[in-house]
Amino acid sequence: MNTVDYLRISLIDRCNFRCSYCMPEDAEFDYIQSQEMLTNDELISLLREVFMPLGFRKFRLTGGEPLLRKGVVDLVKEISALSDSEDLAITTNAYLLGGMARSLYDAGLRRINISLDSLDRDIFRQITGRNHWEKVWQGILAAHEVGFDPLKLNVVVIPGVNDREVLDLAALSIDRAWHVRFIEFMPIGNPELFEHKGWVDSATLREQIKARYGLLESTCKGNGPADVFQIPGAKGTLGFISQMSECFCDRCNRVRLSADGWLRPCLLNESGQIDLKTALRNRQGYAEIRLQVKELLHLKSEINFKERDRGTGNINTYQRTMSQIGG
Ligand code: SAM
Ligand code: SF4
């Protein structure tokens, strides 16, 4: 069985962007009420008393937009200070990053993933629903200057929207040690757009990039689901996350905790989730909660494999979007 030691933590389900593939402008969401969200103290207790004793060492803060969470810098500081926290990262849209990059770094954060689907301001606005390209770019440069390493840029390619920019986006990995990661569009969040536009598989993207720049398998492999390549001579790398065209369930090392405390064993499957917030608030002992989580980890590989086809084949089975699950 694969070791599961990576927890993705959604700090908030709200977002200041409205990416068409994730939280389309006209979608209605039942946002989590503030009293239903795990507090910083509850989250730290779960990490220290439940996840770390079970061997979890890697943590990613995500959302929604995690930088909208009040007290996020303090939370980063607290998690970094936990003795078993070996690897803390964040995924952000970078809108607030320009003003926060330094304090996040000083609080102990080193790894950052930033969503950047376009270098064209109009297409960026079309995708994100916001005219904020400049501010996002400034956020990326601020993170670079402060010294975040690795600095990864996440790109979701949508046919007929930003697919003409694949070469330009890939070229961002040449002069700086930036790691551009192409994520296949999934039918979560906006199944209508998915059905209408479809998706591009990683192999097709690699062919395009190879024809223009050449492409080598990279020697620096990550420990996640990305297949890592490199343009010859580039300082950074290109990652391809191919959850639609490939099944990498057998390499999956992660589970997800939502902002309201539901622990989810598989992104593409809604069964098996457990409600850790209620357990905490009902004063169930940590030993008992640990046991529940341990049992879930035991079942995880079965859940991954058994439900994947149903999950990707029937888009209506998803109740929560990436922003709600913690993408
Ligand atoms: N707001 C932050 C951001 O955009 O980076 C963090 C949360 S966002 C849900 C995390 C990642 O999920 C982003 O890189 C986004 O592109 C990706 N994502 C969201 N919806 C997706 C979808 N339907 N298919 C593939 N990736 C998706
Ligand atoms: Fe917000 Fe990130 Fe979803 Fe875009 S992808 S709407 S920035 S949560």
Side-chain angles (χ1 to χ4, degrees):
M1 199 172 72
N2 211 15
T3 306
V4 179
D5 60 358
Y6 178 18
L7 182 68
R8 293 175 77 101
I9 305 164
S10 175
L11 294 185
I12 186 165
D13 59 341
R14 291 170 197 258
C15 189
N16 41 3
F17 283 16
R18 284 291 174 274
C19 298
S20 53
Y21 52 75
C22 177
M23 294 177 84
E25 202 81 67
D26 52 355
E28 287 181 13
F29 295 103
D30 290 329
Y31 288 117
I32 301 169
Q33 301 294 309
S34 56
Q35 67 274 18
E36 297 303 327
M37 308 241 304
L38 287 175
T39 64
N40 283 8
D41 285 348
E42 286 171 332
L43 186 51
I44 294 293
S45 301
L46 281 175
L47 296 185
R48 196 178 41 220
E49 307 292 343
V50 176
F51 289 99
M52 289 177 173
L54 288 173
F56 281 79
R57 295 291 178 268
K58 301 179 204 135
F59 305 93
R60 176 172 296 275
L61 307 177
T62 179
E65 175 44 42
L67 298 186
L68 289 178
R69 164 105 175 198
K70 285 201 188 84
V72 63
V73 174
D74 291 336
L75 192 57
V76 164
K77 201 180 281 178
E78 285 186 74
I79 299 175
S80 308
L82 293 174
S83 56
D84 286 331
S85 166
E86 286 173 7
D87 186 342
L88 178 63
I90 201 164
T91 304
T92 171
N93 63 27
Y95 178 71
L96 295 170
L97 192 58
M100 295 176 78
R102 167 55 63 190
S103 40
L104 287 165
Y105 191 88
D106 290 345
L109 190 69
R110 293 292 178 272
R111 303 165 66 87
I112 196 159
N113 286 36
I114 300 169
S115 293
L116 182 72
D117 296 317
S118 179
L119 293 170
D120 177 307
R121 287 146 186 79
D122 291 332
I123 294 175
F124 182 89
R125 179 165 31 91
Q126 189 189 332
I127 295 176
T128 62
R130 299 290 182 269
N131 198 9
H132 291 332
W133 188 89
E134 302 289 349
K135 209 161 165 194
V136 165
W137 187 250
Q138 279 167 18
I140 295 171
L141 293 180
H144 177 71
E145 273 151 33
V146 163
F148 279 94
D149 180 21
L151 187 161
K152 297 184 182 175
L153 300 173
N154 288 357
V155 181
V156 177
V157 178
I158 307 171
V161 179
N162 62 347
D163 53 341
R164 277 170 302 176
E165 293 188 67
V166 167
L167 295 178
D168 293 339
L169 288 160
L172 292 175
S173 70
I174 297 176
D175 294 331
R176 299 180 179 102
W178 289 358
H179 306 279
V180 181
R181 292 148 41 102
F182 295 97
I183 306 170
E184 288 176 352
F185 181 18
M186 286 182 283
I188 298 181
N190 191 346
E192 291 79 25
L193 181 73
F194 182 88
E195 271 193 11
H196 175 55
K197 295 286 189 185
W199 55 286
V200 190
D201 63 281
S202 298
T204 303
L205 299 182
R206 282 199 290 270
E207 281 310 313
Q208 280 177 26
I209 296 167
K210 190 174 180 183
R212 171 69 179 81
Y213 297 113
L215 200 58
L216 305 168
E217 270 195 55
S218 173
T219 45
C220 54
K221 297 271 172 232
N223 54 13
D227 296 312
V228 188
F229 290 77
Q230 197 159 27
I231 293 173
K235 292 185 176 153
T237 62
L238 299 178
F240 297 87
I241 303 182
S242 316
Q243 69 287 348
M244 296 297 293
S245 59
E246 253 181 53
C247 178
F248 45 66
C249 295
D250 57 340
R251 306 188 243 157
C252 183
N253 61 349
R254 63 203 56 198
V255 290
R256 292 173 154 83
L257 184 65
S258 69
D260 55 352
W262 282 89
L263 183 66
R264 183 178 176 118
C266 172
L267 175 65
L268 297 172
N269 178 5
E270 312 220 299
S271 65
Q273 304 180 69
I274 49 180
D275 179 0
L276 300 184
K277 180 200 67 202
T278 303
L280 265 186
R281 293 187 185 173
N282 285 346
R283 305 206 176 281
Q284 253 178 43
Y286 291 124
E288 202 181 320
I289 301 177
R290 263 197 308 272
L291 203 64
Q292 276 180 286
V293 173
K294 200 173 169 183
E295 275 168 18
L296 187 69
L297 297 180
H298 230 79
L299 292 174
K300 178 173 159 54
S301 58
E302 217 178 299
I303 290 170
N304 289 345
F305 281 110
K306 281 197 171 154
E307 297 292 327
R308 184 177 186 276
D309 287 345
R310 187 168 70 89
T312 52
N314 179 359
I315 52 185
N316 297 320
T317 56
Y318 299 119
Q319 301 297 318
R320 288 190 152 193
T321 67
M322 289 285 273
S323 63
Q324 293 168 313
I325 302 162

